Amino acid sequence: MGIPRHTRIIMVPDDGSTREYGITRAMVTTLILLGFVFLALLLALMVIFAGRAEERLRIRKLEQGLEQARLEVSTAEALAAELEEMRRMQEQLLVMLGVEGVDPAAADSLAAWLERSPRSAGEAMNRAAAIAMSPKPAVWPTVGPVTQEFIRGNVARGVLPHLGIDIAGNETIPIRAAGDGTVARAGEDEYLGNFVEIQHGLGYLTVYGHCSRLVVGPGARVEAGEVIAYMGRTGQATATHLHFEIWQQGDAVDPRSVLAGDPPPR
């Protein structure tokens, strides 16, 4: 059934009067077309809105992903810094422990823990614990006047090194540990005679030479001020005295740069 050429609409209000409206076929067709156009526009707007909503959701997810990436980059940078610090500490610890593959200590250092690798994991852990937990040397090891100071030396210019301080005395004077630590070596050396080496924390090592007799052995745990030997003139010594050295991570340092003041007088 087609659309009539002319359509009459009669409206009857409650008051009994009548009103008539005429609608032509062209008007009906126009209204139908406008309705379809409206529906098409509505559908188009719904599609556009849905696309925009999906785009906003995608943008939100991208922003969340970017923020997560920033957090991961920040975490990675922090981890890289920690790893670099751990690597640096590991290298220092390997030098302290004498693990193979690192540069050896000077031949005259007498630092046994730099001359050989630990024989077991337990020994390595004990060394590491001693290095990490013990304080550095803090007290003078004996009493008496200083007869020779620390000299770095310059062999090329004819200045011989003297990598320690000599303190004069007699064979009744005890020699005490300069700080808490572990006896790394104790024995006899051609130059130092009877000597003791004590490993302390922070990579410090103290050496006590020309002793008349020793009262501690390798592996002994000692405290600052504990008697470890007695003054003597063994080895290449012309008079009774203590030759005292301090080494830090394989380098000899002036004991006066570590210990305060002067050795106590007798």
Side-chain angles (χ1 to χ4, degrees):
M1 180 177 176
I3 300 174
R5 182 176 298 176
H6 188 83
T7 302
R8 181 178 295 174
I9 300 174
I10 301 174
M11 301 182 65
V12 183
D14 291 339
D15 59 2
S17 63
T18 60
R19 294 179 184 178
E20 293 185 5
Y21 300 92
I23 301 177
T24 64
R25 180 186 298 174
M27 294 177 62
V28 173
T29 302
T30 301
L31 289 174
I32 292 174
L33 290 175
L34 289 175
F36 279 117
V37 170
F38 176 78
L39 290 175
L41 289 174
L42 182 61
L43 289 174
L45 289 174
M46 293 177 64
V47 170
I48 292 173
F49 180 79
R52 294 285 177 84
E54 184 177 355
E55 184 178 352
R56 285 196 296 270
L57 180 61
R58 190 162 52 247
I59 291 174
R60 189 178 299 112
K61 289 182 178 180
L62 289 174
E63 290 175 345
Q64 292 175 350
L66 181 60
E67 183 63 25
Q68 182 66 26
R70 288 174 179 168
L71 291 175
E72 291 177 357
V73 169
S74 177
T75 302
E77 290 176 349
L79 288 175
E82 292 180 5
L83 288 173
E84 178 61 22
E85 179 66 15
M86 291 175 65
R87 183 194 63 76
R88 186 185 64 79
M89 294 178 64
Q90 182 185 36
E91 289 180 354
Q92 292 181 354
L93 187 59
L94 289 176
V95 172
M96 296 175 191
L97 297 180
V99 176
E100 292 180 357
V102 298
D103 295 335
D108 59 352
S109 72
L110 296 178
W113 46 279
L114 287 174
E115 292 175 354
R116 62 178 176 82
S117 300
R119 291 168 293 185
S120 65
E123 181 180 348
M125 291 298 294
N126 288 336
R127 291 188 192 181
I131 292 171
M133 298 178 65
S134 299
K136 70 176 186 178
V139 298
W140 287 98
T142 192
V143 298
V146 174
T147 56
Q148 188 170 0
E149 297 285 352
F150 176 92
I151 301 174
R152 177 70 61 186
N154 189 326
V155 177
R157 297 184 177 180
V159 181
L160 296 178
H162 183 256
L163 303 181
I165 282 182
D166 291 347
I167 304 173
N170 58 63
E171 295 187 356
T172 64
I173 296 177
I175 299 171
R176 305 176 185 275
D180 297 351
T182 302
V183 177
R185 288 202 307 176
E188 187 175 353
D189 177 78
E190 180 180 356
Y191 171 71
L192 289 178
N194 296 327
F195 74 94
V196 177
E197 289 181 358
I198 299 178
Q199 180 180 322
H200 308 275
L202 306 176
Y204 282 94
L205 185 86
T206 52
V207 182
Y208 313 76
H210 305 310
C211 306
S212 60
R213 61 189 179 95
L214 311 179
V215 297
V216 293
R221 185 72 182 166
V222 296
E223 297 181 355
E226 181 178 340
V227 176
I228 58 172
Y230 286 87
M231 201 175 289
R233 54 180 299 177
T234 58
Q236 297 182 22
T238 57
T240 301
H241 71 282
L242 166 66
H243 176 77
F244 175 59
E245 299 177 358
I246 296 182
W247 294 73
Q248 184 180 19
Q249 297 183 8
D251 292 324
V253 298
D254 188 346
R256 291 188 182 278
S257 68
V258 180
L259 306 180
D262 295 298
R266 287 201 299 270

